[in-house]
């Protein structure tokens, strides 16, 4: 099975375009939830809880928590798209079987699915990012540099989710995945600093790419800096490439077998 990122051609774009065409038909319904949910969280956590918290790590709690929500919303959109939606296309619609009967390879199907999941996560993040930038929450000059990292994070989360999708047998199996995923939203530095946790737990959480993405994004939008910034950034890029490779091979194996 010759599946490798370096051997991809542009055929994966057709997989992405197929999903985009379906999405475009109901874009009004698809765009509204990604707009309402993060803004609601922002009002509850940033303006509500933030009124009592004040500052954390030298920045207003509104900035602190918004950076975390920005990343976790991106993660959830990618996760839902590349688990439930991808699984439905794979098992019940037989969309993937139809695609690989053309010159498009299973690896390119996987890559296209991951890129589409990252696109869905980008839509959710872009809405919140633009709102925060317009109202002045993200007013540091480096804030715009956070946006490409959010895109890379979306690919990372989508790849993880597609790996799970490629090994699931039924929809119910995703409950185990999300049972792990939802607690990580709170533990990976979204709502409070990792320094509040035991040192052993911190070491485990730093192995999860989500933690580094949150920390890097927060450093950029606030301008406060963070230790090991470059190494965290490299870790995010490296894990994204590895996870993308695994996702391609895993889905290809599922489709061929």
């Amino acid at each position: 099975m010759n599946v490798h990122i370096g051997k991809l051609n542009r055929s994966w774009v057709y997989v992405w375009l197929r999903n985009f065409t379906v999405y475009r038909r109901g874009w009004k319904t698809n765009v509204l939830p990604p707009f309402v949910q993060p803004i609601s969280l922002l009002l509850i956590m940033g303006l509500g809880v933030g009124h009592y918290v004040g500052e954390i790590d030298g920045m207003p709690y509104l900035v602190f928590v918004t950076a975390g929500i920005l990343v976790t919303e991106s993660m959830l959109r990618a996760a839902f798209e590349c688990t439930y939606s991808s699984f439905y296309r794979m098992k019940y619609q037989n969309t993937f079987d139809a695609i690989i009967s053309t010159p498009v390879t299973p690896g390119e199907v996987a890559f296209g699915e991951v890129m589409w999941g990252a696109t869905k996560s980008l839509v959710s993040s872009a809405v919140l990012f633009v709102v925060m930038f317009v109202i002045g929450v993200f007013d540091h000059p480096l804030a715009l540099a956070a946006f490409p990292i959010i895109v890379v994070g979306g690919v990372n989360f989508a790849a993880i989710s597609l790996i799970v999708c490629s090994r699931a047998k039924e929809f119910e199996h995703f409950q185990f995945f999300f049972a792990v995923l939802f607690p990580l939203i709170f533990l990976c530095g979204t709502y409070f600093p990792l320094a509040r946790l035991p040192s052993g737990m911190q070491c485990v959480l730093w192995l999860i790419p989500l933690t580094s993405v949150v920390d890097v994004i927060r450093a950029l939008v606030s301008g406060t800096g963070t230790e090991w910034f470059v190494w965290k950034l490299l870790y995010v890029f490296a894990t994204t490439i590895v996870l993308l490779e695994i996702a391609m091979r895993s889905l290809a194996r599922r489709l061929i077998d």
Side-chain angles (χ1 to χ4, degrees):
M1 182 171 56
N2 192 10
V3 179
H4 193 275
I5 294 177
K7 296 184 179 298
L8 284 171
N9 59 42
R10 289 180 293 179
S11 296
W12 68 267
V13 175
Y14 297 110
V15 180
W16 186 95
L17 285 173
R18 180 265 171 202
N19 293 335
F20 174 72
T21 301
V22 175
Y23 175 84
R24 187 177 57 184
R25 293 173 183 173
W27 70 270
K28 293 180 181 179
T29 304
N30 291 322
V31 167
L32 186 60
F35 178 80
V36 173
Q37 183 171 329
I39 297 300
S40 300
L41 280 172
L42 174 65
L43 293 174
I44 295 169
M45 300 301 299
L47 300 180
V49 178
H51 176 74
Y52 300 97
V53 174
E55 289 191 353
I56 290 184
D57 291 346
M59 71 187 77
Y61 186 69
L62 178 60
V63 177
F64 182 92
V65 76
T66 301
I69 292 174
L70 186 69
V71 176
T72 54
E73 281 299 308
S74 170
M75 176 195 70
L76 286 175
R77 295 299 166 190
F80 278 110
E81 182 63 30
C82 288
T83 50
Y84 287 103
S85 298
S86 293
F87 188 79
Y88 184 77
R89 288 190 284 268
M90 177 177 65
K91 183 171 182 178
Y92 294 101
Q93 285 188 329
N94 295 319
T95 301
F96 294 172
D97 289 335
I99 293 175
I100 63 174
S101 67
T102 71
V104 180
T105 67
E108 289 158 356
V109 172
F111 192 84
E113 283 291 301
V114 169
M115 292 302 108
W116 175 245
T119 302
K120 290 289 291 289
S121 75
L122 180 60
V123 171
S124 179
S125 300
V127 171
L128 183 58
F129 190 92
V130 170
V131 171
M132 293 302 98
F133 194 80
V134 169
I135 67 177
V137 175
F138 295 161
D139 58 355
H140 194 272
L142 289 177
L144 290 176
F147 209 70
I149 312 305
I150 296 172
V151 176
V152 176
V155 176
N156 192 297
F157 309 143
I160 294 172
S161 303
L162 194 66
I163 293 170
V164 174
C165 175
S166 67
R167 300 181 181 183
K169 301 300 181 183
E170 299 293 340
F171 279 122
E172 289 76 10
H173 293 170
F174 294 130
Q175 296 180 30
F176 299 101
F177 175 56
F178 284 99
V180 175
L181 195 63
F182 281 115
L184 292 180
I185 293 175
F186 297 93
L187 294 173
C188 289
T190 304
Y191 299 106
F192 59 88
L194 263 64
R196 301 291 190 273
L197 298 173
S199 57
M201 184 178 291
Q202 291 182 44
C203 293
V204 174
L205 291 173
W206 279 115
L207 294 175
I208 301 171
L210 172 63
T211 307
S212 293
V213 177
V214 170
D215 198 65
V216 167
I217 295 299
R218 182 171 289 134
L220 289 172
V221 300
S222 65
T224 56
T226 181
E227 295 181 349
W228 304 97
F229 178 88
V230 174
W231 290 107
K232 291 172 183 176
L233 195 58
L234 290 174
Y235 182 67
V236 172
F237 276 93
T239 54
T240 299
I241 294 173
V242 171
L243 289 167
L244 186 53
E245 185 79 28
I246 295 173
M248 291 171 57
R249 291 176 180 272
S250 185
L251 185 65
R253 189 177 300 109
R254 171 73 178 264
L255 296 179
I256 293 173
D257 294 343

